[in-house]
Amino acid sequence: MTHTSSGLRTARRFQLPVPAANGSTTTRTPTVEIVIPVYNEERALPGCLRTLHARLCDELPYPWRITVADNASVDCTLAVAEELADELPGVGVVHMERKGRGLALRTVWGTSDADIVVYMDVDLSTGLDGLLPLIAPLASGHSDLAVGSRLAPGARTVRGPRRELISRCYNALIRRTHGARFSDAQCGFKAARTDVLRPLLAKTQDDAWFFDTELLLLAEHNGLRIHEVPVDWVEDVDTRVDVVGTATDDLKGLWRMARLKASGAASVPVPRRPEPAAEHPDAVLAPDAARSQLTWQIGCFAVIGIASTAGQALLYWLLRGWWQPAAANFVSLLVLTLLNTEANRRLTFRHSADGIGAGRAHLGAGALFVVGYLVTSAAVLLFRDAVPDATAAAETLVLAGSSVLVTAVRFLVLRLAVFRRRAS
């Protein structure tokens, strides 16, 4: 029996066997720990463990153990879990004195000696046919994290319209606000390599349901590879989730993560995978990466710049009918600068903007907005002084010309300062 600051009271986790090497001095079979977080699940736990245990014995080709993480249950869950641990080889139990799924996972995962850690919900809503596809990309070293997805192509779900709508809206919100590329943040079916997971766990803060989203956003922000597995998922209506409270906490969590990424504090020193290299010994390779990247950046920036200049000119021309030149220029330049910066962050400098979130990128480009506004406004005002009876169309042409100069300076500053590749 042990005590920790996280409230871990009871620990019955047996040691995983050290697997033999697979005919190599450097390669061995990875070990797997599957965690089942539970809160007041005395009814569901026996069926879950017996079903999962049988599938693992029959199908999982890696050394494994199951750990029940009881987070402060007030019914007989702990007693039931300990009885099952005595009955089923390879099953252990830990008891948390504080409630929280995120707390339970962070504590058990953070102290695991397994190479790969997994978690799934006690109701087994996610079909176990997806377990080996979840683990295999991590065991091979191809990916860093793996998630089950109910929204990926090929997934099949059986659930009510209310939960379907909430899930789709929440994941759409994550993609719109954080630019996330994973499709389903909260499916209770995830795995990770412990060597890359530990630095992320040290940064996570949420103790409850937002933990999943927080972990994935941190992983993606730090350039880790996330593998998605389309799953079969059947809703179990006997749930402990407070939908309204969880939704409120999720919104707060998304805002906290946005501020963390904008400040640069979300960057974590995770292990980096090697740069891509050709497998074929006689491969005909593309030109030097630095030159090809610069060519991509110039071409992409030029296309975005042309679109931005045209958009600013159009918006200026529309606003000029109601406002004075300075006001029309300010609003049109502000709107197009925001769009331009986001487009360049996602496209032009996507390979060199490691660890730079949307907030930091826009803050870094703020000074460029001031310079651009001063230069373009000065050009228009000087033109009006020189040609007092000039038309709005003529002003627009002058504005577009000065914007070209600003755009060239903007590219240099963005490439050399704002989106500069960080030293590894």
Side-chain angles (χ1 to χ4, degrees):
M1 185 174 293
T2 59
H3 294 268
T4 72
S5 59
S6 297
L8 180 64
R9 182 173 65 82
T10 306
R12 299 179 58 181
R13 295 163 77 186
F14 66 90
Q15 193 75 17
L16 279 164
V18 178
N22 291 334
S24 168
T25 58
T26 59
T27 303
R28 67 180 183 87
T29 304
T31 55
V32 178
E33 179 170 15
I34 300 171
V35 181
I36 312 292
V38 293
Y39 173 72
N40 290 350
E41 296 287 2
E42 60 182 7
R43 182 195 67 83
L45 188 56
C48 167
L49 288 184
R50 291 193 176 100
T51 300
L52 176 60
H53 189 274
R55 290 291 292 268
L56 296 179
C57 288
D58 292 341
E59 300 177 8
L60 196 66
Y62 311 110
W64 55 267
R65 70 165 169 244
I66 302 172
T67 300
V68 178
D70 173 40
N71 46 118
S73 293
V74 295
D75 63 358
C76 297
T77 296
L78 180 58
V80 171
E82 290 176 336
E83 290 176 5
L84 290 164
D86 292 335
E87 171 191 336
L88 302 171
V91 175
V93 183
V94 297
H95 176 70
M96 312 294 298
E97 294 181 336
R98 287 197 290 127
K99 182 182 174 182
R101 184 181 69 167
L103 175 67
L105 289 173
R106 181 165 55 246
T107 302
V108 179
W109 277 0
T111 58
S112 179
D113 59 350
D115 299 305
I116 297 170
V117 288
V118 182
Y119 103 83
M120 62 181 65
D121 290 334
V122 69
D123 58 12
L124 298 183
S125 291
T126 306
L128 292 178
D129 288 343
L131 182 57
L132 187 54
L134 191 78
I135 296 172
L138 310 183
S140 69
H142 175 270
S143 300
D144 302 303
L145 287 85
V147 298
S149 174
R150 298 160 294 186
L151 303 176
R156 299 180 298 181
T157 62
V158 179
R159 58 179 169 179
R162 175 170 172 266
R163 192 159 182 176
E164 178 79 13
L165 178 63
I166 291 173
S167 177
R168 289 187 177 276
C169 289
Y170 177 65
N171 284 287
L173 180 64
I174 297 173
R175 291 193 295 273
R176 297 295 179 271
T177 57
H178 286 264
R181 293 183 291 275
F182 50 85
S183 64
D184 190 354
Q186 290 196 309
C187 180
F189 199 66
K190 294 182 173 66
R193 289 172 34 219
T194 51
D195 61 334
V196 299
L197 180 65
R198 289 192 181 99
L200 300 179
L201 293 178
K203 185 69 69 172
T204 58
Q205 300 179 25
D206 191 80
D207 287 343
W209 298 96
F210 185 72
F211 172 82
D212 297 56
T213 305
E214 181 179 28
L215 186 67
L216 291 178
L217 288 175
L218 282 171
E220 194 169 80
H221 180 74
N222 285 280
L224 297 178
R225 178 177 287 169
I226 301 174
H227 178 75
E228 280 201 323
V229 178
V231 296
D232 295 339
W233 195 87
V234 179
E235 180 179 10
D236 186 335
V237 295
D238 181 21
T239 179
R240 304 291 179 268
V241 180
D242 174 9
V243 176
V244 176
T246 300
T248 302
D249 291 341
D250 286 345
L251 293 176
K252 293 178 181 178
L254 288 175
W255 171 244
R256 175 172 57 80
M257 285 301 302
R259 289 189 288 114
L260 197 70
K261 291 161 71 174
S263 68
S267 298
V268 177
V270 295
R272 298 293 179 185
R273 62 180 60 252
E275 292 295 323
E279 295 280 359
H280 197 288
D282 301 319
V284 179
L285 302 179
D288 176 73
R291 294 204 309 272
S292 61
Q293 187 179 88
L294 178 60
T295 302
W296 162 263
Q297 289 178 348
I298 292 175
C300 194
F301 189 87
V303 172
I304 294 173
I306 291 171
S308 299
T309 301
Q312 183 194 354
L314 176 61
L315 186 56
Y316 175 86
W317 179 73
L318 293 173
L319 295 176
R320 188 63 181 86
W322 296 283
W323 297 346
Q324 292 298 311
N329 183 38
F330 180 86
V331 173
S332 62
L333 183 60
L334 176 63
V335 172
L336 270 298
T337 296
L338 291 173
L339 296 176
N340 181 285
T341 301
E342 188 63 17
N344 282 308
R345 184 179 75 88
R346 291 174 181 264
L347 297 174
T348 308
F349 301 105
R350 69 183 189 274
H351 296 303
S352 57
D354 296 337
I356 299 179
R360 182 174 176 181
H362 286 287
L363 288 174
L368 297 175
F369 167 77
V370 175
V371 173
Y373 176 70
L374 292 176
V375 171
T376 53
S377 293
V380 172
L381 292 176
L382 290 173
F383 176 71
R384 283 179 56 83
D385 286 341
V387 187
D389 57 345
T391 64
E395 287 181 13
T396 301
L397 289 175
V398 172
L399 178 74
S402 60
S403 295
V404 171
L405 174 62
V406 171
T407 298
V409 174
R410 180 183 177 81
F411 174 78
L412 293 175
V413 175
L414 287 176
R415 187 173 193 271
L416 299 177
V418 177
F419 294 110
R420 183 179 57 193
R421 182 181 291 274
R422 294 182 173 186
S424 56

